[in-house]
Amino acid sequence: MSKFDSRELIQRRDALKIPLHHGHFFVLRHIKMFTYTHLTSIIKPGMKVADVGCGGQPLRSLIKSCGGNYTSVDVVQNSKNSVDIIADISSIPLPSKSFDVIICTEVLEHCFDPQKALLELSRLLKPSGAIIITTPFNFGLHEVPYDFIRLTPFYIEYWFPKLGFKAPNVLQLNGNELEVMATVWGQIFAPTEKTSFLLKGIFVILRVLMNLVVLAVSDLLQPFLPRYFFLNMGCVAYKHSDISSTPVET
């Protein structure tokens, strides 16, 4: 999330809407389910919460409804001019131990150096504070050319203890092979500016049919799938409370 002129980022993540005809239906569904589940269980009234890589701030109203004091951070201002802090994720001009909770969704793949980014987020967290992260795995290129990396659960398990965090409380692989195929299908039948009105209608029908079929059988068949392919990863971890657990410089 280095500083750059990115018009796409300004439009990023205005909302976590999940219409069935959307090609990213399953991706958005998992992001919403994971973030909503853990934000509502962790945030208590009066907690200071940072939304790092906030984009259009789809989580702002939820965080405020939980009683959290919301601070937004992103590398560029959004179209609503509502980002509080404009900064690179690896160098945020705020005091150490500023926040009880940090949420960082679908951002780390855009970082040149995810370790440095996580070290900065660790610095901003209070002792015993929580970090909630989602990051894609089997997902197409986006915000091109600022899409740099895909992380695995083994990366998280290895680096978090070195960066001031405890081992993750939750490390969840979201999606399965069927949902990955449906997402790829959705991209194959994504309309372009040159697509005729008739074809656009046909593409919508095809995406809805595929998503309906996969939605109906995905949970049922998931125990039998190898899960080597998944859409994204969700993580909840807490910062160490003792001063002996000093994060390493990367």
Side-chain angles (χ1 to χ4, degrees):
M1 217 169 73
S2 300
K3 292 182 179 179
F4 47 73
D5 176 19
S6 177
R7 284 161 290 184
E8 285 192 37
L9 269 181
I10 295 175
Q11 302 301 322
R12 174 165 57 89
R13 286 202 307 116
D14 286 335
L16 291 178
K17 296 178 181 178
I18 48 174
L20 190 61
H21 65 78
H22 200 293
H24 298 160
F25 170 78
F26 290 102
V27 177
L28 296 172
R29 180 170 179 260
H30 284 300
I31 294 171
K32 184 173 184 177
M33 290 173 62
F34 188 87
T35 54
Y36 276 51
T37 296
H38 294 288
L39 282 171
T40 53
S41 66
I42 291 173
I43 296 175
K44 301 296 185 289
M47 282 187 170
K48 294 182 177 180
V49 183
D51 186 359
V52 179
C54 61
Q57 302 175 5
L59 299 171
R60 183 186 189 111
S61 59
L62 174 67
I63 291 168
K64 287 192 169 185
S65 72
C66 294
N69 296 320
Y70 181 86
T71 299
S72 54
V73 182
D74 212 332
V75 71
V76 293
Q77 186 58 264
N78 64 24
S79 58
K80 300 174 184 176
N81 201 38
S82 59
V83 179
D84 299 312
I85 307 294
I86 308 297
D88 187 290
I89 192 174
S90 61
S91 182
I92 299 173
L94 290 172
S96 298
K97 304 176 184 178
S98 290
F99 298 104
D100 300 286
V101 180
I102 291 177
I103 176 78
C104 184
T105 61
E106 311 299 287
V107 173
L108 292 178
E109 71 272 20
H110 302 296
C111 299
F112 289 110
D113 189 343
Q115 295 155 32
K116 190 174 182 180
L118 288 167
L119 187 64
E120 178 69 347
L121 299 184
S122 173
R123 180 187 72 81
L124 292 173
L125 266 183
K126 296 178 182 179
S128 301
I131 188 167
I132 303 170
I133 287 172
T134 71
T135 186
F137 188 64
N138 287 117
F139 187 63
L141 293 174
H142 56 288
E143 294 176 28
V144 174
Y146 307 106
D147 189 1
F148 301 121
I149 197 168
R150 295 290 183 270
L151 305 182
T152 71
F154 311 109
Y155 181 100
I156 296 294
E157 289 174 339
Y158 178 82
W159 276 109
F160 265 49
K162 297 179 181 294
L163 298 172
F165 301 101
K166 298 177 183 178
N169 278 42
V170 179
L171 190 53
Q172 182 173 306
L173 307 185
N174 298 316
N176 53 44
E177 284 80 357
L178 293 175
E179 294 178 4
V180 170
M181 287 191 293
T183 302
V184 173
W185 174 276
Q187 293 307 295
I188 292 173
F189 291 100
T192 67
E193 293 180 359
K194 297 181 180 180
T195 304
S196 69
F197 182 79
L198 177 60
L199 272 180
K200 285 181 181 178
I202 293 173
F203 288 174
V204 167
I205 293 171
L206 290 172
R207 290 198 302 272
V208 168
L209 289 175
M210 172 61 81
N211 288 345
L212 276 174
V213 170
V214 172
L215 189 62
V217 301
S218 180
D219 290 344
L220 182 65
L221 295 180
Q222 182 158 295
F224 307 102
L225 296 172
R227 302 294 301 285
Y228 288 118
F229 295 87
F230 55 94
L231 289 171
N232 77 349
M233 179 170 54
C235 172
V236 178
Y238 290 84
K239 185 176 177 178
H240 278 288
S241 58
D242 60 295
I243 59 174
S244 64
S245 302
T246 305
V248 300
E249 292 290 340
T250 62

